[in-house]
Amino acid sequence: LDRRCAQAVGEIKRLLLENGALGAVMSGSGSAVFGLFASEEAAARAACGAKPLCRDVFLTRAEPAYENLGSG
């Protein structure tokens, strides 16, 4: 990352953490910065705060892992 991009990534991570993220990281390819939140409310607050800094902002919800209880 160049200095300007690294600064932007740091600012977005800080914003996510200050708004309740349990953790915030950049994806391996550098195409995204994301945070994990304990509540939808905290995630929504962070998303609103990130909109002025980011071209795209997405909220997603993790679903419980599916366990294959069939034959095996």
Side-chain angles (χ1 to χ4, degrees), residues 47-67:
C48 286
K51 285 182 181 180
L53 302 174
C54 303
R55 183 180 65 211
D56 296 309
V57 175
F58 302 97
L59 288 176
T60 62
R61 178 182 300 133
E63 296 293 328
Y66 172 76
E67 289 187 38

Side-chain angles (χ1 to χ4, degrees), residues 18-58:
E18 287 177 354
N19 282 279
L22 303 173
V25 296
M26 182 177 74
S27 66
S29 65
S31 62
V33 177
F34 62 93
L36 299 175
F37 295 84
S39 73
E40 288 184 45
E41 294 81 11
R45 275 195 313 275
C48 286
K51 285 182 181 180
L53 302 174
C54 303
R55 183 180 65 211
D56 296 309
V57 175
F58 302 97

Side-chain angles (χ1 to χ4, degrees), residues 5-29:
C5 287
Q7 185 176 6
V9 167
E11 188 173 342
I12 295 165
K13 287 173 62 176
R14 180 186 51 76
L15 181 140
L16 295 174
L17 293 167
E18 287 177 354
N19 282 279
L22 303 173
V25 296
M26 182 177 74
S27 66
S29 65

